[in-house]
C-alpha cells in the first residue's frame, strides 16, 4: 500500500485523506498484523505532513465477511485510529447494521459481485461521512468540560 504513497498521496500535499483500507488485504489472505503495521506507518506519514486522516474500514459484504481475518482487521484498524488519534469511519458497522438490524438485502446495497458497493450505498456512505466531517470541522473544542469559545462567540 505504501509503495505509491510518496508519489500519489504525499506529493499532493492533502489537507484530508480518506483512506479505505483492509478489504483487499483480507480478500488476498495477507497477514493482518503486518498489514496493520503498514497502516500505522502510512498514518504516521500522513500526520507528518499535517494531513487530517479518516480511516474507513472494510465493507460488510459476503466476499469480505466470509474471510476468517475480517473481524480482526476491523478491530486492528479501530485500534490504529485510536492509538494514532485519527478519525475512523466505521463503514463495516454501518453496512452490518443495514443488513442485520434493518434487514436490507445485500442486493440492495452491493453490486452483483457481492463485494463492491453500489450507487445507493455509496450515496448513503457519502452522506454519513460528509455529515461526520462537517460535525468534526465545526465542533467547538472543549477542555475539561468547559467550552473554549468566548462569551461573545456564544
Amino acid at each position: 500500500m505504501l509503495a505509491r504513497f510518496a508519489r500519489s498521496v504525499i506529493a499532493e500535499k492533502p489537507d484530508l485523506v480518506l483512506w479505505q483500507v483492509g478489504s483487499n488485504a483480507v480478500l488476498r489472505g495477507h497477514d493482518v498484523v503486518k498489514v496493520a503495521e503498514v497502516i500505522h506507518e502510512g498514518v504516521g506519514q500522513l500526520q507528518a505532513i499535517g494531513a487530517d486522516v479518516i480511516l474507513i474500514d472494510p465493507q460488510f459484504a459476503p466476499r469480505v465477511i466470509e474471510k476468517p481475518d475480517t473481524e480482526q482487521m476491523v478491530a486492528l484498524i479501530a485500534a490504529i485510529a485510536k492509538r494514532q488519534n485519527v478519525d475512523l469511519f466505521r463503514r463495516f458497522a454501518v453496512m452490518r447494521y443495514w443488513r442485520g438490524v434493518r434487514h436490507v438485502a445485500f442486493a440492495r446495497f452491493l453490486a452483483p459481485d457481492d463485494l463492491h458497493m453500489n450507487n445507493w450505498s455509496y450515496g448513503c456512505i457519502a452522506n454519513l461521512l460528509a455529515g461526520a466531517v462537517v460535525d468534526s470541522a465545526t465542533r467547538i473544542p472543549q477542555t475539561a468540560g468547559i467550552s473554549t469559545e468566548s462569551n461573545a462567540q456564544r
Side-chain angles (χ1 to χ4, degrees):
M1 284 186 285
L2 296 182
R4 298 180 317 174
F5 249 50
R7 179 184 73 248
S8 299
V9 182
I10 304 297
E12 296 295 324
K13 299 180 180 123
D15 293 317
L16 172 64
V17 175
L18 307 176
W19 190 3
Q20 297 181 81
V21 66
S23 297
N24 288 334
V26 168
L27 289 169
R28 295 176 181 150
H30 295 171
D31 180 328
V32 295
V33 174
K34 288 181 181 175
V35 172
E37 292 168 3
V38 170
I39 297 167
H40 173 76
E41 182 181 335
V43 169
Q45 288 181 26
L46 295 169
Q47 289 175 317
I49 64 164
D52 289 324
V53 179
I54 300 174
L55 295 177
I56 302 173
D57 61 14
Q59 61 268 41
F60 185 82
R63 289 184 45 202
V64 175
I65 61 177
E66 73 184 10
K67 301 297 182 180
D69 291 333
T70 299
E71 294 284 346
Q72 183 182 12
M73 178 60 78
V74 170
L76 286 169
I77 293 167
I80 292 164
K82 183 175 183 175
R83 182 171 59 243
Q84 292 186 259
N85 197 31
V86 298
D87 290 311
L88 171 64
F89 185 81
R90 296 178 183 271
R91 172 174 58 170
F92 191 84
V94 169
M95 294 175 77
R96 179 187 279 175
Y97 172 81
W98 292 341
R99 182 75 184 117
V101 176
R102 299 299 301 261
H103 307 290
V104 178
F106 281 121
R108 176 74 173 111
F109 61 87
L110 293 176
D113 66 1
D114 280 338
L115 173 62
H116 294 96
M117 295 168 38
N118 63 19
N119 289 344
W120 180 86
S121 57
Y122 275 123
C124 289
I125 293 295
N127 284 328
L128 291 169
L129 185 55
V133 169
V134 168
D135 287 347
S136 178
T138 59
R139 187 176 313 128
I140 307 273
Q142 298 269 323
T143 305
I146 299 169
S147 174
T148 58
E149 71 181 333
S150 69
N151 288 334
Q153 290 173 309
R154 288 186 216 148

